[in-house]
Amino acid sequence: MSWFFGKPNTSTSSEPGTGHETGHENEDFEDNLNNKGTVISGFDSTALERGAKAMREIESSTHAKDALKLAMMQEKTKQAEFSKREKELELAKLQGEMERRQQQQKLNEEQE
């Protein structure tokens, strides 16, 4: 499993899990789990811990429902803005295609 956690593969086989592992990978992983604050493969848990702490504070707040509603409204607003932008781009694409066809039609009429 060393390949999964970003450690160099010490086995002679090119595929992990073929039985050629040394057995130390599992011990190293368990040591990393036991050491609080250890970064595994570049994953920094501080942001996750801050988020969990903020969620605990929000849940214990008297305004927890309002905070959840606000977050949901913000997400809906973002989705609506994205949808609007997507439709604007689709409209621009259709207008461009229409203009291209009109120009092509003009060229065809001039050549005749």
Side-chain angles (χ1 to χ4, degrees):
M1 278 293 258
S2 64
W3 57 273
F4 187 73
F5 299 107
K7 296 179 184 176
N9 191 354
T10 57
S11 68
T12 57
S13 174
S14 62
E15 292 185 355
T18 57
H20 295 287
E21 290 88 1
T22 61
H24 297 291
E25 292 87 0
N26 198 22
E27 292 172 8
D28 292 341
F29 177 68
E30 289 175 5
D31 288 343
N32 285 340
L33 287 178
N34 293 332
N35 296 332
K36 185 175 169 113
T38 300
V39 177
I40 298 175
S41 295
F43 177 75
D44 186 8
S45 64
T46 56
L48 185 61
E49 291 168 0
R50 283 194 314 265
K53 180 181 176 187
M55 285 303 299
R56 283 191 297 273
E57 290 174 2
I58 289 172
E59 287 177 349
S60 65
S61 170
T62 57
H63 303 290
K65 287 183 182 178
D66 293 335
L68 179 61
K69 286 179 184 177
L70 178 63
M72 290 173 65
M73 288 172 47
Q74 288 175 336
E75 182 62 28
K76 285 182 182 179
T77 301
K78 286 180 187 178
Q79 289 176 359
E81 289 172 353
F82 177 77
S83 178
K84 178 186 171 191
R85 180 65 180 150
E86 189 177 35
K87 291 190 186 309
E88 288 173 348
L89 291 173
E90 186 177 333
L91 178 64
K93 179 182 174 184
L94 290 174
Q95 287 175 340
E97 180 67 23
M98 207 166 81
E99 288 177 12
R100 185 189 66 78
R101 287 185 182 180
Q102 288 173 350
Q103 290 175 354
Q104 184 67 33
Q105 189 176 15
K106 280 184 182 179
L107 286 173
N108 287 342
E109 289 174 2
E110 290 174 1
Q111 289 178 356
E112 292 176 357

